[in-house]
Amino acid sequence: MLRGLFTTFKEMLTPKVTIQYPEQKRPVRERFKGRHELKRYDNGLEKCIGCALCAAACPSNAIFVESSENTDEERYSPGERYASTYEINMLRCIFCGFCEDACPTEAIVLEKDYELSYTDRAEAILTKDKLIVKVPAGGSPTPQKTEPGVFTRSVPQMKDPTD
Ligand code: SF4
Ligand code: SF4
């Protein structure tokens, strides 16, 4: 009994190893793959061009993309098309990151949010309005009215192919 009490008192003096989640949160590892986000360019245009390569690469068939035509009067993204519907079924997602790897414009990114809980199935389907990030400071919301002939390329030209 004394030996047991000694262990109890000894442990009372050692630093705590538990974390008081959710009040305290431990930063995740650099390569952690959490909830997806659809990114924007600095001017507010959406990076997603509705090509559906992410949907084709997804091994669990979790992504649904429907694209529509951009015009200079009503532009959502550079190039011809944008994703008018973009949905991820998080009940199917296995967080493999293949969608991120397949994306030619780095539009879909698995970020650091791991607090994913749903009370019904419909809530687990993340639609475009839930996935897309806020418009950056200095940018404009989509759709934008743009100059003709400026945003003709769907995939941005890179200086270095390793960029
Ligand atoms: S992380 Fe993997 S499973 Fe999840 S949506 Fe992307 S490709 Fe599909
Ligand atoms: S997220 Fe990327 S791969 Fe998926 S539809 Fe948009 S541009 Fe294409």
Side-chain angles (χ1 to χ4, degrees), residues 36 54 57-63 88 92-100 110:
H36 309 62
C54 51
C58 178
S60 50
N61 212 8
I63 305 180
I88 303 183
R92 288 188 172 191
C93 179
I94 54 169
F95 298 90
C96 62
F98 285 5
C99 50
E100 195 178 58
L110 280 90

Side-chain angles (χ1 to χ4, degrees), residues 38 48-54 65 86 103-105 107-108:
L38 278 173
C48 179
I49 53 171
C51 66
L53 285 175
C54 51
V65 184
Y86 194 104
C103 182
T105 60
I108 188 84

Side-chain angles (χ1 to χ4, degrees), residues 1 7-8 25 35 37 43 50 53 64-65 74 84 88 90 97 108 116-117 126 129 131 134 140 144 150 153 160:
M1 191 173 150
T7 304
T8 306
K25 286 177 193 162
R35 183 187 179 280
E37 280 184 1
N43 63 1
L53 285 175
F64 174 71
V65 184
E74 215 172 292
S84 43
I88 303 183
M90 297 306 283
I108 188 84
L116 308 168
S117 62
L126 300 183
D129 54 317
L131 292 164
K134 286 196 187 116
S140 314
Q144 296 180 9
V150 177
R153 281 184 66 91
D160 179 345

